[in-house]
């Protein structure tokens, strides 16, 4: 039967106040018995729609107030706690100053109401291919500090995503913190979506580059919504690294990025168009960086 | 124009206070003690036979009171016309679209009702479906109904003059295919109702923009006299035609549950349910053929329209009628032939939406006219002025226009600096700027078959305030405010002296509803007449007191006086007391009903006036097109709108701005993506209605004409603007890109692909 | 499953409720507290009709588990009036035709309030951004922008 649900299914709710308590709850977690959430802007609608099975218990992480932080120092770079909201990340002076691409990407997510509730960690853990923060974080060399019953581990975000909605995080694991090393260079995130707000990226392109004396020193290209997971376009990056800035090499690299993308046809756009747009946007993003 | 006290003024909405405080109650805000909740279970198949329904698991869930299936309605069906009664409250034997209602649960709360609905087990035998109207018309296509050969749900054929002769006289003849897109009204309030069936009959608080439709449907379905059906209207969270002009599975099921269980029953649909299963605008394919002379004169037009009607006929015959009968406006058309086919498919049902029917064929004709003018080297303004009608005018199918601001509207656009300077090509980087225009017409005071008049009753209170009862529905358009303005103006009262109650079919006079831009024109006429009736009754008392003639008694600024004798004056309140206390006490009750335009309408041949009067909208639109990504941004609109006399200019502006945005959504953003009858994007995230950040600067200019068949000279406002928006955006995009696009919506992908193709072909 | 107790302050009034843990904040506000100003449009956090302010932030109350309200301060559209006196934003919406059907209005006004609470002098672009999480299908938004602009001016003492 086709039923359109207005109500949430039945579940219990707990709100641990300590990180260790949350880990204890998750120790025996499997088959989605416990479902953790921070902002809930993704999990709640999915549970309501019955796209995600109802958990026995919903675990609200917002009680663990020590996870709500954005901190920075030159040695370690930026650290974003699991509970830092999208809004806070987009507005934090340190993010705007040192990682403007991430602020840009965060500000492009959904709406004010969603940004007030949702978290960057959640945007990553949901692992939708179009997650706006992902291409930027990939470019910035972001890492996820996770902890489960086996202890802590650091996962490179490039290794984090497995497919749409799927990550390497175990049922017992939590993402504690996103770390972004300091790096020299400029970054740009360009999101292509029909509406300017409350919309998903048809294609999202993040480019981070360090250009010195007219030479591309360090180039990183992150792509969203053009593969089962957010991805880096490494062939394209390699084509540019070490080269002198010039139209032809940029064009070639942009074409390579389009080649590397693995988009699909869906109701939002065709694969062909997405590929075309990767080329256009990579070129545009690099253009914006070098014209700066 | 006369010097009015409240007419023509920028008067704030009378429901504003209730709406900004959260006080205004909508259907879903109502609840009653002991109330049960109804949930609808729907078909997961687009076309299937129902073999068996097992409700036992659902019924045994604690809290469940009853489960209904199609059989419980004993074969009762409804439809817009006697011969189109084909829709069942719950499908009994066959489902014809995905999401068609097949069963319903009543339970003590909504959680239980939803849980139980999942437990209903239906055995289906899937049938081959047909989803494309052109395919559905072919021999051998799956048939939705035995009686409808080639799946033709309705067809119209109109033939005026000699269209072949017209094409022979032309220097250029074009044939093009246009497509208008799958869009929906997009109101934010999902349908809801609370229904009660008791010894007094049916009482239902339902979100309906035409409450007297559901009133008749419920009376027929439950075999009750109309006097036993009471539809009470809450505030309505937007209508725009279609779903809220009709009845729903939820309405019938709630009432039947209430009848069987003796409790009030409530249902609320979800937005996804609305986007997936409710009525939407017909997608139409328009094959248009037009002939034009070298000087731009249109010599003839033949339109062949194929509409995706979906699974039932609903109001479709009227839609198809409007695609043709309005094609002869706003340009002179000496020869016209129209063949319209509404085709059944296993898609959700096509029905009315703001700009009903007219938007489809006008989009095609307006673009084609400009395409041909371009080929002939004629300026867009010149070709329009060459063919524009002016009042008085009778079209070849006997549509009579008594007031017309078309030429003035087109000239307003032509005189605008943006239009004058449009040849200076503006391109910055990949962004090309384009300027386009359109000029269109829409009917106001729609007429259809059957009861179509509006009525008003005004009861005078002894303190000089009045109660105004109307069956007309304000579903957001502001009609309550404008109607009260009319009553106040006639009686010489202030806005706050006049109280309007929302529709209650047990109290208010019957009315056809809010569609076809009929409320201001027809309910307005009724309101005015009722107020005049009150005035006449009161004037007798004043005349007697002052020994004057009743026709010399004047009502203005809460005072009553005798013409030419300023010393004879008294407050309205005093006269009210004199009248109400006369003899042993009197009742002053004014009544009025509309009778504009009751001339003959030949619905079969497309002859005569489908409206009381006609609005004319000329529009200038500016766009930015990203030539690399195809992204389109509409930056500015100028709408020169002839609504006769704007009775409340701020509301006319607001209506036009809203229509402009809705038209822009249809032209650029919105479209249902379908896969074998399944809607792939039934969410507001993916069905892309415009947001605050997508809105152009929208300027509205009133072109004032006074129509003799409208209260205070008024005509319709804003259905015209939804018709003018898409062609003006498309001509602007052509200006920016050199490409004539012919299908809505104009998505970035379509633009980017076409630009690439153009580049490839040099 | 057991009922749980939550305590919070809504529109300045202390509340203590026993609720099942799967209730949303919107359901509790509308059904338990009978404050039906906040509306459910989509129930999926897309339309903004259910916007309320919780802990100083605008949220889609249809996506907030009501359990989270515990210990919070919440303002709904019903909490804006000061006695019989309208809030300047409400006043501006009436005067400048900032609403038509009115269904989006409570959420729209709460988003406007959130905006003006953080930015007393917004530009047109900031106003557009500020309400970009709220759909309106009637007005074409133009009169909403004008209303918010007028409210901002009136709140600063101007007109």
């Amino acid at each position: 039967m086709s039923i359109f649900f207005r109500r949430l299914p039945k579940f219990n709710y707990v709100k641990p106040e300590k990180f260790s308590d949350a880990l204890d709850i998750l120790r025996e977690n499997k088959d989605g018995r416990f479902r953790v959430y921070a902002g809930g802007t993704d999990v709640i609608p999915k549970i309501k729609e019955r796209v995600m099975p109802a958990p026995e218990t919903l675990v609200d992480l917002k009680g663990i107030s020590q996870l709500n932080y954005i901190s920075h120092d030159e040695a370690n770079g930026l650290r974003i706690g699991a509970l830092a909201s999208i809004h806070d990340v987009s507005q934090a002076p340190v993010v705007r100053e040192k990682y403007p691409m991430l602020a840009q990407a965060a500000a492009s997510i959904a709406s004010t109401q969603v940004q007030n509730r949702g978290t960057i960690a959640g945007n990553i853990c949901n692992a939708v291919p179009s997650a706006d923060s992902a291409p930027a974080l990939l470019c910035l060399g972001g890492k996820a500090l996770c902890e489960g019953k086996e202890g802590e581990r650091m996962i490179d975000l490039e290794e984090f995503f497995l497919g749409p909605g799927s990550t390497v995080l175990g049922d017992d694991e939590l993402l504690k913190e996103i770390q972004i090393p300091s790096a020299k260079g400029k970054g740009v995130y360009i999101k292509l979506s029909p509406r300017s707000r409350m919309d998903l990226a048809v294609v999202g392109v993040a480019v981070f580059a360090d250009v010195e004396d007219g030479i591309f020193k360090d180039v990183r290209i992150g792509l969203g919504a053009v593969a089962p997971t957010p991805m880096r376009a490494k062939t394209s990056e390699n084509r540019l690294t070490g080269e002198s800035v010039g139209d032809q090499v940029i064009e070639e690299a942009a074409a390579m990025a389009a080649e590397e993308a693995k988009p699909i046809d869906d109701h939002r756009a065709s694969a062909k168009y997405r590929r075309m747009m990767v080329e256009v946007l990579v070129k545009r993003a690099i253009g914006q960086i070098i014209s700066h | 124009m006369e010097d009015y006290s409240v007419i023509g003024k920028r008067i704030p909405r009378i429901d504003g206070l209730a709406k900004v405080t959260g006080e205004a109650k909508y259907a879903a805000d109502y609840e009653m003690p002991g109330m049960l909740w109804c949930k609808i279970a729907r078909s997961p198949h687009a076309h299937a036979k129902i073999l068996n329904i097992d409700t036992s698991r659902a019924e045994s869930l604690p809290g469940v009171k009853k489960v209904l299936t199609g059989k419980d309605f004993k074969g009762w069906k409804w439809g817009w016309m006697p011969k189109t009664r084909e829709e069942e409250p719950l499908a009994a034997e066959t489902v014809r679209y995905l999401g068609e209602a097949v069963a319903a649960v009543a339970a003590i709360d909504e959680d239980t009702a939803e849980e139980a609905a999942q437990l209903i087990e239906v055995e289906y035998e899937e049938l081959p479906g047909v989803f494309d109207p052109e395919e559905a018309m072919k021999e051998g296509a799956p048939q939705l109904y035995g009686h409808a050969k080639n799946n033709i749900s309705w067809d119209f054929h109109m033939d005026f003059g000699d269209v072949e002769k017209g094409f022979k006289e032309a220097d250029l003849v074009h044939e093009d295919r246009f497509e208008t897109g799958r869009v929906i009204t997009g109101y934010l309030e999902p349908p809801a109702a609370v229904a009660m069936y008791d010894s007094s009959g049916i009482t239902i608080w339902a979100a309906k923009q035409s409450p007297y439709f559901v009133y008749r449907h419920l009376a027929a379905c439950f075999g009750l006299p109309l006097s036993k059906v009471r539809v009470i209207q809450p505030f309505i969270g937007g209508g725009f035609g279609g779903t809220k002009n009709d009845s729903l599975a939820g309405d019938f099921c709630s009432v039947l549950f209430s009848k069987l269980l003796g409790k009030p029953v409530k249902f609320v649909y979800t937005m996804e349910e609305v986007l997936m299963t409710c009525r939407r605008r017909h997608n139409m394919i328009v094959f248009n053929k037009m002939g034009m002379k070298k000087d731009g004169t249109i010599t003839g037009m033949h339109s062949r329209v194929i509409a995706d009607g979906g699974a039932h006929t609903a109001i479709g015959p009227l839609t198809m009628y409007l695609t043709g009968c309005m094609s002869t406006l706003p340009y002179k058309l000496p020869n016209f032939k129209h063949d319209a086919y509404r085709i059944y498919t296993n898609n959700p049902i096509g029905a009315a939406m703001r700009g009903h029917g007219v938007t489809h064929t006008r989009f095609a004709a307006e673009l084609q006219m400009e395409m041909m003018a371009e080929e002939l080297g004629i300026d867009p303004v010149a070709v329009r002025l060459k063919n524009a009608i002016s009042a008085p005018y009778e079209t070849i199918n006997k549509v009579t226009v008594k007031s017309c601001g078309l030429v003035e509207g087109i000239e307003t656009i032509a005189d605008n600096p943006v239009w004058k300077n449009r040849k200076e090509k503006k391109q910055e980087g990949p962004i090309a700027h384009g300027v386009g225009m359109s000029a269109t017409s829409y009917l106001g005071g729609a007429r259809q078959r059957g009861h179509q008049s509006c009525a008003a009753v005004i009861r005078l209170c002894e303190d000089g305030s009045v109660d105004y009862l109307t069956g007309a529905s304000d579903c957001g358009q502001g009609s309550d405010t404008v109607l009260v303005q009319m009553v106040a103006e006639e009686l010489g009262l202030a806005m706050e002296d006049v109280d309007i109650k929302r529709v209650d079919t047990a109290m208010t006079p019957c009315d056809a509803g809010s569609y076809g831009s009929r409320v201001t024109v027809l309910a307005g006429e009724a309101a005015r007449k009722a107020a005049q009736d009150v005035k006449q009754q009161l004037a007798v008392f004043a005349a007697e007191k002052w020994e004057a003639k009743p026709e010399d008694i004047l009502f203005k600024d809460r005072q009553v006086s005798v013409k030419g004798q300023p010393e004879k004056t008294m407050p309205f309140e005093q006269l009210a007391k004199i009248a109400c206390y006369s003899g042993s006490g009197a009742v002053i009750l004014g009544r009025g009903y509309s009778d504009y335009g009751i001339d003959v309408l030949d619905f079969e041949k497309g002859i005569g006036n489908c409206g009381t009067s006609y609005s004319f909208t000329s529009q200038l639109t500016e766009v930015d097109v990203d030539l690399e990504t195809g992204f389109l941004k509409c930056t500015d609109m100028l709408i020169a709108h002839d609504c006769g006399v704007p009775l409340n200019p701020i509301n006319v502006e607001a209506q036009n701005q809203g229509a402009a945005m809705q038209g822009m959504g249809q032209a650029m953003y919105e479209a249902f993506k379908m896969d074998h009858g399944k809607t792939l994007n039934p969410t507001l995230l993916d069905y892309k209605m415009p947001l605050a950040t997508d809105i152009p600067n929208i300027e509205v200019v009133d072109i004032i004409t006074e129509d003799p068949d409208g209260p205070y000279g008024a005509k319709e406002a804003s259905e015209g603007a939804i018709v003018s928006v898409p062609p003006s955006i498309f001509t602007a995009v052509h200006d920016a890109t050199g490409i004539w696009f012919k299908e809505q919506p104009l998505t970035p992908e379509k633009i980017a692909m076409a630009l690439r193709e153009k580049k490839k072909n040099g | 499953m057991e009922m749980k107790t939550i305590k919070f302050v809504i529109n300045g009034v202390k509340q203590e409720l026993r609720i099942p843990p799967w209730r949303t904040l919107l359901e509790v506000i509308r059904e338990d507290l009978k404050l039906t100003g906040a509306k459910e449009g989509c129930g999926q956090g897309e339309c903004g009709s259910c916007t309320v302010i919780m802990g100083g932030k605008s949220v889609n109350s249809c996506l907030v588990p009501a359990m989270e309200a515990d210990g919070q301060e919440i303002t709904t559209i019903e909490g804006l009036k000061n006695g019989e006196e309208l809030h300047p934003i409400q006043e501006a919406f009436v005067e400048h035709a900032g609403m038509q059907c009115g269904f989006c209005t409570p959420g729209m006004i709460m988003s406007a309030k959130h905006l003006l609470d953080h930015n007393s002098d917004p530009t047109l672009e900031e106003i557009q951004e500020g309400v970009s999480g709220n759909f309106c299908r009637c007005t074409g938004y133009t009169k909403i922008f004008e209303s918010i602009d007028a409210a901002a001016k009136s709140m600063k003492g101007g007109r």
Side-chain angles (χ1 to χ4, degrees), chain A residues 1-7 49 192-196 198-199 267-270 273 276-277 284, chain B residues 39 41-42 102 110 114 270 626 628-629 631 669 673 684-686 688-689 691 693-694 749 756:
Chain A
M1 285 314 265
S2 255
I3 317 286
F4 295 92
F5 296 94
R6 284 202 337 129
R7 304 281 174 164
E49 257 190 89
L192 212 56
S193 61
R195 287 185 298 225
S196 36
M198 199 67 225
D199 216 340
H267 63 265
R268 296 184 184 119
S270 71
Y273 177 70
M276 273 166 57
M277 289 309 106
R284 235 175 234 194
Chain B
K39 190 75 194 176
R42 298 175 178 277
V102 292
E110 198 177 22
E114 289 188 346
T270 75
D626 185 326
E628 291 173 357
T629 62
F631 268 67
Y669 294 95
K673 305 288 168 57
L684 295 181
L685 190 62
D686 273 329
K688 301 194 187 291
M689 305 200 299
L691 279 163
T693 35
D694 305 312
E749 178 161 350
R756 197 149 288 208

Side-chain angles (χ1 to χ4, degrees), chain B residues 331-497:
Chain B
Y331 303 108
K332 290 170 210 154
L333 193 54
N335 303 289
F336 173 53
K337 194 161 187 262
H338 190 75
D339 296 298
Y341 301 89
R342 186 183 187 279
I343 305 300
Y344 288 123
T345 64
N346 296 108
N347 287 326
I349 300 148
M353 178 176 158
R354 196 185 208 171
H356 194 190
V358 180
T359 179
H360 308 270
T361 38
R362 181 43 47 199
F363 171 70
E366 188 76 2
L367 281 187
Q368 195 174 43
M369 179 180 71
E370 198 166 321
M371 288 160 68
M372 294 171 73
E374 187 193 39
E375 224 170 301
L376 293 168
I378 305 168
D379 177 80
V381 166
V383 75
R384 287 183 173 83
L385 289 176
K386 181 87 200 168
N387 295 289
I389 64 150
S390 49
Y393 188 80
E394 185 177 83
T395 70
I396 193 162
N397 60 332
K398 299 203 183 321
V399 172
T400 51
V401 175
K402 296 180 186 169
S403 68
C404 175
L406 177 66
V407 169
E408 200 185 325
I410 296 171
E411 284 169 349
T412 303
I413 303 304
D415 289 342
N416 191 287
V418 169
W419 181 260
K420 284 185 171 162
N421 301 329
R422 78 186 199 287
K423 296 244 162 84
E424 296 165 15
K425 273 294 168 201
K426 290 137 289 191
Q427 187 168 343
E428 247 182 86
I431 309 292
H433 193 68
V435 179
M437 76 172 297
S438 65
T440 63
S441 176
Y442 199 79
L443 62 134
R447 308 171 56 233
Q448 61 164 25
R449 309 184 130 194
H451 179 111
Q452 47 150 323
S453 109
C454 292
V457 174
I458 296 174
R459 186 173 62 93
L460 179 74
C461 303
E462 62 192 29
D463 62 356
S465 62
V466 300
D467 277 325
Y468 160 46
L469 296 176
T470 172
S473 293
D474 190 338
C475 47
Q477 77 270 41
S479 60
D480 278 0
T481 303
V482 101
L483 293 171
V484 166
Q485 277 179 267
M486 291 189 222
V487 173
E489 186 68 52
E490 280 305 322
L491 291 171
L493 292 174
M495 291 294 287
E496 56 268 31
D497 297 330

Side-chain angles (χ1 to χ4, degrees), chain B residues 594-631:
Chain B
S594 64
D595 62 2
Y596 286 139
I598 47 170
D599 49 332
V600 180
L601 173 70
D602 186 335
F603 195 64
E604 309 305 324
K605 295 202 175 93
I607 299 172
N609 283 305
C610 50
T612 303
S613 53
Y614 301 89
S615 72
F616 295 89
T617 312
S618 307
Q619 179 161 352
L620 175 68
T621 295
E622 294 175 74
V623 297
D624 282 337
V625 184
D626 185 326
L627 300 176
E628 291 173 357
T629 62
F631 268 67

Side-chain angles (χ1 to χ4, degrees), chain B residues 427-659:
Chain B
Q427 187 168 343
E428 247 182 86
I431 309 292
H433 193 68
V435 179
M437 76 172 297
S438 65
T440 63
S441 176
Y442 199 79
L443 62 134
R447 308 171 56 233
Q448 61 164 25
R449 309 184 130 194
H451 179 111
Q452 47 150 323
S453 109
C454 292
V457 174
I458 296 174
R459 186 173 62 93
L460 179 74
C461 303
E462 62 192 29
D463 62 356
S465 62
V466 300
D467 277 325
Y468 160 46
L469 296 176
T470 172
S473 293
D474 190 338
C475 47
Q477 77 270 41
S479 60
D480 278 0
T481 303
V482 101
L483 293 171
V484 166
Q485 277 179 267
M486 291 189 222
V487 173
E489 186 68 52
E490 280 305 322
L491 291 171
L493 292 174
M495 291 294 287
E496 56 268 31
D497 297 330
V498 182
D499 191 75
I500 184 169
K501 296 286 190 285
R502 295 193 65 79
V503 175
D504 176 342
T505 60
M507 311 285 167
T508 47
C510 189
D511 183 284
S514 279
Y515 62 86
S517 279
R518 54 195 306 292
V519 180
T520 297
V521 175
L522 299 180
E525 185 197 5
R528 234 188 137 177
K529 285 183 173 168
Q532 284 163 353
D533 188 11
V534 168
K535 223 157 65 168
Q536 274 170 20
Q537 295 175 46
L538 282 174
V540 172
F541 292 96
E544 194 182 345
K545 179 178 161 68
W546 285 320
E547 294 179 353
K549 286 191 230 148
E551 56 269 31
D552 286 340
I553 305 298
L554 302 177
F555 295 75
K556 201 165 175 64
D557 301 331
R558 287 176 161 165
Q559 299 290 319
V560 184
S561 59
V562 182
K563 195 164 142 192
Q565 300 178 52
E567 73 285 1
K568 291 185 174 166
T569 183
M570 67 175 141
F572 184 92
E573 182 183 350
Q574 193 183 335
L575 179 59
K577 283 204 170 65
I578 292 172
C580 290
Y581 298 165
S582 65
S584 58
V587 178
I588 305 292
L589 208 56
R591 62 195 183 100
Y593 61 91
S594 64
D595 62 2
Y596 286 139
I598 47 170
D599 49 332
V600 180
L601 173 70
D602 186 335
F603 195 64
E604 309 305 324
K605 295 202 175 93
I607 299 172
N609 283 305
C610 50
T612 303
S613 53
Y614 301 89
S615 72
F616 295 89
T617 312
S618 307
Q619 179 161 352
L620 175 68
T621 295
E622 294 175 74
V623 297
D624 282 337
V625 184
D626 185 326
L627 300 176
E628 291 173 357
T629 62
F631 268 67
L632 176 59
K633 167 95 185 158
C634 186
T635 60
D636 292 86
M637 288 183 182
L638 171 69
I639 297 169
H641 186 62
D642 157 26
C643 67
V645 174
L647 304 183
N648 187 339
I650 193 172
N651 201 23
V652 169
E653 263 165 45
Q655 278 288 298
N656 276 302
Q657 286 161 343

Side-chain angles (χ1 to χ4, degrees), chain A:
Chain A
M1 285 314 265
S2 255
I3 317 286
F4 295 92
F5 296 94
R6 284 202 337 129
R7 304 281 174 164
L8 284 164
K10 292 175 181 163
F11 50 73
N12 205 346
Y13 168 94
V14 292
K15 190 173 186 178
E17 284 176 9
K18 284 198 240 137
F19 190 70
S20 56
D21 293 346
L23 287 182
D24 283 346
I25 292 168
L26 293 182
R27 195 162 274 274
E28 301 305 320
N29 189 26
K30 59 174 187 206
D31 306 326
R33 265 185 67 202
F34 296 92
R35 177 72 59 183
V36 297
Y37 82 101
T41 54
D42 195 74
V43 166
I44 301 291
K46 279 189 183 141
I47 295 176
K48 197 187 273 185
E49 257 190 89
R50 275 54 170 186
V51 173
M52 184 184 273
E56 250 173 59
T57 300
L58 196 61
V59 183
D60 182 355
L61 298 177
K62 280 190 293 298
I64 311 167
S65 52
Q66 68 264 34
L67 290 183
N68 188 0
Y69 59 86
I70 300 165
S71 72
H72 179 262
D73 61 72
E74 285 306 325
N76 297 309
L78 184 70
R79 291 155 175 263
I80 300 172
L83 288 179
S85 73
I86 297 167
H87 173 265
D88 287 351
V89 170
S90 76
Q91 297 300 316
V94 63
V95 179
R96 295 173 75 124
E97 188 195 330
K98 308 251 181 206
Y99 306 89
M101 168 168 61
L102 180 60
Q104 221 178 347
S108 78
I109 296 172
S111 63
T112 307
Q113 293 95 317
V114 169
Q115 289 178 16
N116 281 342
R117 296 267 303 162
T119 60
I120 291 291
N123 195 233
I124 293 302
C125 290
N126 293 328
V128 291
S130 63
D132 285 303
S133 67
L137 289 169
L138 283 177
C139 276
L140 294 167
K143 291 180 172 51
L145 177 62
C146 307
E147 191 173 339
K149 60 187 172 199
E150 308 292 332
E152 247 183 28
R153 60 171 175 153
M154 184 78 86
I155 307 167
D156 202 315
L157 282 182
E158 275 185 58
E159 316 291 323
F160 189 77
F161 304 109
L162 294 176
S166 162
T167 70
V168 299
L169 269 190
D171 285 342
D172 63 312
E173 272 186 309
L174 286 171
L175 192 162
K176 266 166 83 173
E177 176 181 286
I178 295 170
Q179 299 186 357
I180 303 167
S182 296
K184 198 161 147 271
K186 290 196 173 69
V188 169
Y189 177 64
I190 305 180
K191 172 180 182 171
L192 212 56
S193 61
R195 287 185 298 225
S196 36
R197 295 308 303 273
M198 199 67 225
D199 216 340
L200 300 176
V202 169
V203 174
V205 168
V207 176
F208 182 83
D210 180 23
V211 182
E212 243 177 74
D213 306 325
I215 310 276
F216 287 110
K217 288 277 183 196
D218 177 10
V219 183
R220 303 175 211 163
I221 300 171
L223 306 178
V226 292
T229 66
M231 61 174 278
R232 286 269 293 268
K234 297 223 166 155
T235 322
S236 177
E237 294 175 2
N238 291 338
R239 179 70 190 85
L240 288 166
T241 308
E243 294 286 334
S244 304
V245 170
D247 287 348
Q248 198 185 333
V249 73
I250 294 171
E251 266 168 41
E252 272 179 48
M256 282 172 160
E259 203 54 41
E260 279 177 83
K262 298 172 204 70
I264 52 160
D265 286 321
D266 68 11
H267 63 265
R268 296 184 184 119
S270 71
K272 191 176 170 194
Y273 177 70
R274 286 187 158 117
R275 230 183 254 285
M276 273 166 57
M277 289 309 106
V278 169
E279 187 172 345
V280 170
L281 299 188
V282 167
K283 208 156 51 178
R284 235 175 234 194
I286 296 172
Q288 284 183 24
I289 289 169
I290 58 179
S291 74
H292 240 55

Side-chain angles (χ1 to χ4, degrees), chain B residues 179-191:
Chain B
E179 197 169 338
T180 59
R182 300 175 183 281
V183 297
I184 199 161
T185 51
Y187 49 71
L188 286 178
E189 179 208 23

